[in-house]
């Protein structure tokens, strides 16, 4: 497992140092220095917010190329429910799944079906008084990582169930293991993803050693190929099975809407999510049992690797939802979900701490406060840090100087100029050979 894998990356050649991204990053992971942005890797949660806001497309997400499927003899695509929202309404789910097969997959399995299983497991969990409330959905890996770095006190509230993507891959591999004689190392399962955080969660899972998913392919990357296949007349075989409950997971509010309680809260957009997590941390949401929190506005339909406008995609998906059965799964007893529970808990990542040693951390904090007091407090971003406090922190961490602040620099130049004038007045006059003061 590569602990430090990140899907979101910077193309320095494209970056113009405009500073648009630094203020939007929820973990203050970006700095602009010498005219170029840089990501502090251990702080990045791969939420994709910087991809969305960079006007020069300098931030990109690394995902697997479609060609990686050729490394496997039997290839299975597991599309996220949001995939259906990317195409014109006139195409049915079966049209889209057939087209996916047409670009090189042997089988397709809807992640929405697995989402229904996770919903059923959550319905059992929410009734269990020993489960800490409010439960916070683990469906969005960006939110789980955000909690790991910024809200360690809420780790216990995270729903410790496998994501629909993992459950789908697990089901596919179990079924093929039972019903086919293809060796398991020759089966490749690929998630068709709306989001870079999913790439990270497969390459570096936080809740276990390895993922059941063998690769993550961006919706954007295969969109045109799938679109070309949609025109094929031979695309009517039936593969769709998921019910509306699973499909609705693509929408903000879809996951929580499947729960048998009104004590739910759905929040989307990373900065809104932070506000709600602050509320939970401050114990101000005690009347809520379940929080669905998603990094992207609109939910997965608004993911940075999608193609369609989130609002258009919502309308398209609604059509598929209206045509689907309520559910594709039978009621299941609580015991059936034991295998879905995480084998290990997520860990706190103290990347925002000034020092691991508490005494040193306190000293540094004091220094930070005093530097911060001396800064103008305008949060202009001209220094390349998202705000004055972040610059003060960078100075304490010895990765920035006070004069990176243009106001401080101006003040320093002014002080130096005054000092030079003052010193100039003290320079003794130069005498000529006759002992007379020279001109000038
Ligand atoms: S992906 Fe998110 S956390 Fe990472 S640098 Fe971009 S905005 Fe910050
Ligand atoms: S938004 Fe960030 S990455 Fe994009 S050009 Fe501006 S500074 Fe560079």
């Amino acid at each position: 497992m590569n602990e430090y894998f990140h899907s979101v990356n910077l193309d320095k050649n494209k970056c113009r140092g405009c500073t648009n991204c630094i203020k939007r990053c929820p973990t203050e992971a970006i700095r602009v220095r010498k005219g170029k942005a840089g990501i502090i890797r251990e702080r990045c949660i791969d939420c994709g917010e910087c991809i969305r806001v960079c006007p020069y497309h300098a931030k990109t997400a690394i995902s697997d190329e479609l060609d990686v499927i050729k490394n496997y003899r039997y290839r299975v695509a597991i599309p996220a429910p949001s995939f259906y929202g990317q195409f014109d309404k006139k195409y049915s789910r079966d049209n889209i799944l057939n087209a996916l097969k047409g670009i090189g997959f042997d089988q397709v399995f809807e992640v929405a079906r697995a989402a229904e299983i996770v919903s059923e497991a959550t319905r059992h969990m929410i009734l269990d008084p020993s489960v800490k409330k409010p439960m916070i959905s683990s469906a969005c890996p960006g939110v789980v990582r955000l909690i790991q770095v910024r809200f360690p006190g809420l780790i216990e509230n995270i729903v410790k169930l496998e994501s629909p993507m993992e459950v789908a891959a697990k089901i596919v591999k179990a079924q093929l293991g039972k019903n086919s004689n293809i060796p398991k190392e020759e089966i490749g399962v690929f998630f068709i993803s709306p989001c870079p955080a999913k790439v990270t969660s497969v390459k570096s899972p936080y809740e276990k050693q390895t993922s059941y998913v063998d690769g993550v392919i961006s919706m954007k990357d295969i969109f045109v190929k799938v679109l070309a296949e949609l025109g094929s007349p031979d695309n009517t075989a039936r593969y769709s099975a998921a019910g509306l409950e699973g499909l609705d997971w693509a929408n903000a509010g879809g996951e929580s809407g499947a729960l048998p309680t009104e004590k739910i809260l759905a929040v989307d957009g990373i900065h809104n999510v932070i506000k709600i997590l602050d509320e939970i941390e401050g114990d101000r949401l005690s009347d809520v049992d379940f929080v669905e929190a998603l990094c992207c506005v609109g939910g997965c339909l608004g993911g940075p690797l999608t193609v369609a406008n989130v609002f258009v995609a919502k309308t398209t998906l609604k059509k598929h939802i209206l045509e689907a059965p309520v559910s594709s799964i039978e009621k299941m007893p609580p015991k059936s979900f034991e295998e879905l529970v995480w084998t290990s808990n997520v860990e706190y990542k103290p990347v925002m701490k000034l020092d691991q040693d508490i005494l040193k951390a306190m000293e540094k904090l004091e220094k930070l406060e005093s530097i911060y007091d001396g800064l103008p407090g305008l949060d202009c971003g001209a220094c390349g840090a998202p705000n004055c406090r972040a610059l003060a922190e960078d100075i304490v961490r010895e990765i920035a100087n006070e004069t990176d602040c243009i106001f401080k620099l101006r003040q320093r130049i002014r002080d130096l100029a005054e000092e030079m004038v003052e010193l100039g007045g003290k320079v003794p006059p130069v005498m000529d050979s006759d002992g007379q003061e020279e001109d000038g």
Side-chain angles (χ1 to χ4, degrees):
M1 181 175 74
N2 175 6
E3 188 167 352
Y4 297 105
F5 178 87
H6 283 284
S7 168
V8 175
N9 268 280
L10 172 80
D11 180 344
K12 279 219 188 277
N13 293 328
K14 287 187 182 164
C15 175
R16 304 219 193 151
C18 70
T19 73
N20 269 334
C21 57
I22 59 173
K23 285 184 187 287
R24 296 294 301 169
C25 175
T27 53
E28 297 183 345
I30 310 172
R31 300 290 184 272
V32 174
R33 301 270 187 254
K34 296 187 180 148
K36 300 282 178 192
I39 300 175
I40 304 169
R41 308 303 295 170
E42 62 273 22
R43 281 194 181 196
C44 174
I45 58 168
D46 291 290
C47 65
E49 189 69 9
C50 55
I51 298 181
R52 227 188 300 270
V53 299
C54 176
Y56 303 105
H57 308 289
K59 294 273 177 37
T60 50
I62 298 173
S63 53
D64 291 305
E65 305 272 332
L66 183 58
D67 267 1
V68 295
I69 70 174
K70 292 182 184 152
N71 297 336
Y72 297 84
R73 180 151 73 91
Y74 195 83
R75 305 134 186 184
V76 186
I78 53 169
S82 48
F83 194 52
Y84 299 120
Q86 309 308 307
F87 303 92
D88 192 284
K89 270 185 197 161
K90 68 182 179 203
Y91 298 115
S92 69
R93 277 158 64 201
D94 283 316
N95 289 151
I96 297 165
L97 295 173
N98 276 280
L100 250 186
K101 272 196 79 185
I103 66 167
F105 291 97
D106 299 293
Q107 187 184 327
V108 286
F109 184 94
E110 298 174 284
V111 169
R113 289 175 69 184
E116 291 178 58
I117 297 172
V118 179
S119 282
E120 180 70 357
T122 314
R123 283 193 280 268
H124 286 290
M125 239 178 175
I126 208 165
L127 298 174
D128 182 345
S130 70
V131 173
K132 186 146 185 211
K133 311 285 183 337
M135 295 157 69
I136 302 174
S137 166
S138 55
C140 177
V143 169
V144 175
R145 300 226 181 234
L146 176 71
I147 292 174
Q148 277 185 292
V149 300
R150 269 190 71 168
F151 297 93
L154 301 183
I155 285 178
E156 276 307 305
N157 297 64
I158 297 172
V159 174
K160 290 161 192 67
L161 287 175
E162 303 263 35
S163 69
M165 170 187 76
E166 288 293 334
V167 175
K170 203 170 175 175
I171 292 172
V172 166
K173 288 189 170 173
Q175 283 177 349
L176 286 170
K178 218 189 283 172
N179 307 328
S180 78
N181 45 20
I182 310 164
K184 66 174 189 263
E185 60 280 6
E186 292 184 15
I187 299 167
V189 178
F190 298 89
F191 181 58
I192 311 300
S193 179
C195 121
K198 282 285 187 198
V199 184
T200 304
S201 80
V202 165
K203 311 279 179 202
S204 301
Y206 35 67
E207 78 287 19
K208 57 185 172 193
Q209 288 302 305
T210 49
S211 169
Y212 294 99
V213 179
D214 299 293
V216 180
I217 296 170
S218 149
M219 287 185 186
K220 249 185 195 156
D221 286 355
I222 57 166
F223 176 76
V224 174
K225 283 197 169 94
V226 174
L227 201 59
E229 283 294 321
L230 279 167
S232 155
D234 184 26
N235 72 354
T236 49
R238 186 172 163 82
Y239 299 112
S240 66
L244 61 89
E245 225 172 51
L247 294 172
D248 208 17
W249 272 61
N251 273 311
E255 180 193 5
S256 50
L259 299 175
T261 171
E262 284 174 6
K263 293 165 88 176
I264 51 168
L265 187 153
V267 55
D268 54 325
I270 189 76
H271 295 281
N272 297 328
V273 168
I274 289 171
K275 285 183 194 145
I276 292 298
L277 295 181
D278 272 333
E279 293 288 307
I280 303 173
E281 206 172 43
D283 223 2
R284 292 184 293 274
L285 275 180
S286 48
D287 56 342
V288 171
D289 277 349
F290 186 89
V291 174
E292 178 189 330
L294 302 164
C295 279
C296 299
V297 172
C300 300
L301 284 172
L305 303 183
T306 57
V307 180
N309 172 287
V310 56
F311 301 103
V312 175
K314 238 177 182 1
T315 319
T316 310
L317 189 74
K318 191 162 184 186
K319 174 227 161 203
H320 296 299
I321 286 176
L322 289 173
E323 287 171 359
V326 175
S327 175
S328 67
I329 61 161
E330 302 287 326
K331 288 266 165 275
M332 297 158 91
K335 264 208 150 322
S336 358
F337 304 112
E338 278 169 7
E339 270 192 39
L340 266 57
V341 177
W342 289 354
T343 47
S344 61
N345 209 345
V346 298
E347 283 170 6
Y348 168 38
K349 289 198 183 298
V351 294
M352 313 296 258
K353 271 193 177 171
L354 288 169
D355 205 294
Q356 300 309 317
D357 179 316
I358 184 94
L359 288 176
K360 283 189 188 153
M362 281 167 71
E363 260 172 42
K364 287 183 179 174
L365 183 63
E366 222 170 278
K367 194 170 168 199
L368 186 156
E369 296 297 348
S370 124
I371 296 170
Y372 177 54
D373 279 349
L375 293 174
L378 294 173
D379 296 340
C380 65
C383 60
N387 51 55
C388 296
R389 203 179 167 79
L391 176 63
E393 187 187 327
D394 288 354
I395 296 168
V396 171
R397 290 187 193 273
E398 298 178 354
I399 53 169
N401 297 306
E402 211 166 47
T403 46
D404 287 341
C405 167
I406 51 164
F407 296 93
K408 282 282 176 187
L409 180 65
R410 195 188 293 157
Q411 181 66 47
R412 183 113 169 77
I413 292 171
R414 203 180 291 139
D415 292 349
L416 279 173
E418 280 171 11
E419 213 177 312
M420 282 175 75
V421 170
E422 197 188 317
L423 284 174
K426 291 182 184 164
V427 175
V430 179
M431 302 298 187
D432 63 16
S433 52
D434 300 328
Q436 300 296 309
E437 205 173 307
E438 272 189 350
D439 287 347

Short mmCIF file of all heavy atoms in Angstrom, two decimals, residues 8 25-27 29-30 39 44-50, ligand 1:
data_model
loop_
_atom_site.label_atom_id
_atom_site.label_comp_id
_atom_site.label_asym_id
_atom_site.label_seq_id
_atom_site.Cartn_x
_atom_site.Cartn_y
_atom_site.Cartn_z
N VAL A 8 -4.80 14.00 -6.76
CA VAL A 8 -4.77 15.38 -7.26
C VAL A 8 -3.32 15.86 -7.38
O VAL A 8 -2.53 15.73 -6.45
CB VAL A 8 -5.59 16.31 -6.34
CG1 VAL A 8 -5.46 17.76 -6.78
CG2 VAL A 8 -7.06 15.89 -6.36
N CYS A 25 -8.96 25.70 -0.71
CA CYS A 25 -8.53 24.40 -0.18
C CYS A 25 -8.97 24.25 1.28
O CYS A 25 -8.61 25.07 2.12
CB CYS A 25 -7.01 24.26 -0.30
SG CYS A 25 -6.44 22.74 0.46
N PRO A 26 -9.74 23.20 1.60
CA PRO A 26 -10.31 23.06 2.95
C PRO A 26 -9.28 22.72 4.02
O PRO A 26 -9.57 22.83 5.21
CB PRO A 26 -11.30 21.91 2.79
CG PRO A 26 -10.78 21.11 1.65
CD PRO A 26 -10.16 22.11 0.71
N THR A 27 -8.09 22.30 3.62
CA THR A 27 -7.10 21.94 4.62
C THR A 27 -5.87 22.85 4.53
O THR A 27 -4.82 22.52 5.07
CB THR A 27 -6.66 20.46 4.45
OG1 THR A 27 -6.26 20.27 3.09
CG2 THR A 27 -7.78 19.51 4.77
N ALA A 29 -3.83 23.37 2.16
CA ALA A 29 -2.71 22.53 1.69
C ALA A 29 -1.95 23.15 0.52
O ALA A 29 -0.99 22.54 0.04
CB ALA A 29 -3.26 21.16 1.27
N ILE A 30 -2.38 24.34 0.07
CA ILE A 30 -1.70 24.90 -1.12
C ILE A 30 -1.01 26.21 -0.76
O ILE A 30 -1.55 27.04 -0.02
CB ILE A 30 -2.71 25.16 -2.26
CG1 ILE A 30 -3.58 23.92 -2.50
CG2 ILE A 30 -1.97 25.53 -3.56
CD1 ILE A 30 -4.72 24.13 -3.47
N ILE A 39 1.52 21.81 -3.58
CA ILE A 39 0.59 21.16 -2.64
C ILE A 39 1.39 20.54 -1.50
O ILE A 39 2.36 19.83 -1.75
CB ILE A 39 -0.25 20.07 -3.34
CG1 ILE A 39 -1.07 20.68 -4.50
CG2 ILE A 39 -1.18 19.37 -2.36
CD1 ILE A 39 -1.83 19.65 -5.33
N CYS A 44 -3.28 17.20 1.90
CA CYS A 44 -4.28 17.12 0.82
C CYS A 44 -5.22 15.93 1.06
O CYS A 44 -4.78 14.83 1.35
CB CYS A 44 -3.56 16.98 -0.52
SG CYS A 44 -4.69 16.71 -1.88
N ILE A 45 -6.52 16.18 0.92
CA ILE A 45 -7.51 15.11 1.10
C ILE A 45 -8.12 14.69 -0.25
O ILE A 45 -9.12 13.99 -0.30
CB ILE A 45 -8.62 15.52 2.10
CG1 ILE A 45 -9.32 16.81 1.63
CG2 ILE A 45 -8.05 15.71 3.50
CD1 ILE A 45 -10.60 17.13 2.40
N ASP A 46 -7.54 15.18 -1.33
CA ASP A 46 -7.98 14.83 -2.69
C ASP A 46 -9.45 15.15 -2.95
O ASP A 46 -10.13 14.42 -3.66
CB ASP A 46 -7.69 13.35 -2.99
CG ASP A 46 -6.20 13.08 -3.09
OD1 ASP A 46 -5.58 13.53 -4.05
OD2 ASP A 46 -5.65 12.45 -2.16
N CYS A 47 -9.91 16.24 -2.35
CA CYS A 47 -11.32 16.59 -2.51
C CYS A 47 -11.62 17.10 -3.92
O CYS A 47 -12.77 17.08 -4.36
CB CYS A 47 -11.73 17.64 -1.49
SG CYS A 47 -10.89 19.22 -1.72
N GLY A 48 -10.62 17.59 -4.61
CA GLY A 48 -10.82 18.05 -5.99
C GLY A 48 -11.28 19.49 -6.11
O GLY A 48 -11.52 19.99 -7.20
N GLU A 49 -11.41 20.18 -4.97
CA GLU A 49 -11.89 21.56 -5.00
C GLU A 49 -10.96 22.44 -5.86
O GLU A 49 -11.41 23.30 -6.61
CB GLU A 49 -11.97 22.09 -3.56
CG GLU A 49 -12.64 23.43 -3.39
CD GLU A 49 -14.14 23.40 -3.65
OE1 GLU A 49 -14.74 22.33 -3.80
OE2 GLU A 49 -14.71 24.52 -3.71
N CYS A 50 -9.66 22.20 -5.77
CA CYS A 50 -8.70 23.03 -6.53
C CYS A 50 -8.80 22.73 -8.03
O CYS A 50 -8.53 23.62 -8.85
CB CYS A 50 -7.28 22.85 -6.01
SG CYS A 50 -6.72 21.14 -5.98
S1 LIG B 1 -7.52 18.35 -3.65
FE1 LIG B 1 -8.58 19.48 -2.01
S2 LIG B 1 -7.27 19.21 -0.22
FE2 LIG B 1 -6.03 18.66 -2.00
S3 LIG B 1 -4.92 20.55 -2.53
FE3 LIG B 1 -6.82 20.48 -3.78
S4 LIG B 1 -8.33 21.65 -2.61
FE4 LIG B 1 -6.64 21.14 -1.18
#
